[in-house]
Amino acid sequence: MSMIENMRLNRYGIWTFDFEDQPAALIRDSVQELEELGWPAVWIPESEGREALTHAGFLLSATERLTVVNGIAQIWSREPRWTRGAALLLADAYPDRHLLGLGFGAGKPGAKPLQAMNAYLDALDIDKNVNPAPRAPARRLLAAYGPKMLELARDRSAGAHTYHVTPEHTAQAREILGAGPFLGVEHAVLFETDPAKARMIARAHLHRYLTSEYNVAKFRRLGYTEADVDGGRGSDRLVDDLVFWGDLETITAKLAGHLDAGADHVGIQVIGVEPGASAMPHWRRLAEALLPA
C-alpha cells in the first residue's frame, strides 16, 4: 500500500468532531495526550464554526510530532489564494505534519461538485504567491466518493479521503486510484453492545447523511436500496455497515476490513459522546488495541 512520502500517518488515526465545541485548553490537553498515546494523526472537519486552517495550525502548535489532516476544508470557505497561502505557511512551519483535505462539503446551490473542484484546483495551481517556498511540500487530498471524483483525486492530488463508506467501497476506490495514491478512510465506531441502543445512537448520527443527495447516491452505488435508506432512518443493515458498534474486539476486527480492502489509513470517529465531553477514554482503549507498543 502507498503512503505519502515522509509523512507519519501509519495505519490508524483519530477522526473527530469533538474539538468543534470544546475550549482551547481542553483541546490542547486532548491532542497532547493523543500524541503521548502514540496516535500518529488527527483528522478534523470544518463543520460547526472552527475555521479549518487556523484549527489545524492550533493543533500543530500544541504538539511536536502529530500529523493534522483537514478532513475536510470546504472549498466554499475561502478563496483559493488564501487556502494556498495558509497551506504553504503550515508546510513551512510544520514540515511533513499537515495534510490539506479539500472537499465540496455542503456545496453551493447550482454548483456541480466535479466542475467546482476542478476550477478550485486550477486556481490553486496557477495562483502566484509571494510567500517563500516551504521546507516541505504542501500536500493535498480530495474528498471523493464517486468514480469521477476519485479519478480527479488520483490525477490532481496525493490521494483521496472517504467518509461513511464500507470496505466494499474502499476496494472500489483503491481500484480506481491504483497502487500509488494515498487512500484515507473514515469510519464511525460506537462502544455499545445493546443492539437497540446502538442503532438508536447510530441513526441519530447518520440521519443528515441519509438525507443528503450526494451521500444517498453513494449508498445506492454500493447496492443499498431506497428501503435501506428508509427516508433517512436507515435499515439495520445499512446502519450496521456504516457504524461499527459493539465491544473493542468486534470494532477493531471490523476496522481492519478497510485495510484489507486497500486503505492506507483509517481515521476512527468515536460517536455517542455527549457534546462538550471527551472521547478520550475510548481513544485510550483503541490505542492499546491498535497502535504499536
Side-chain angles (χ1 to χ4, degrees), residues 164-206:
H164 283 358
V165 297
T166 62
E168 290 75 18
H169 182 278
T170 297
Q172 295 171 15
R174 174 52 69 197
E175 184 175 358
I176 293 168
L177 290 171
F182 176 82
L183 177 56
V185 178
E186 173 275 348
H187 206 102
V189 305
L190 173 62
F191 286 89
E192 176 56 61
T193 57
D194 179 80
K197 186 174 181 181
R199 288 172 179 143
M200 178 185 69
I201 296 170
R203 284 189 169 99
H205 169 77
L206 292 170

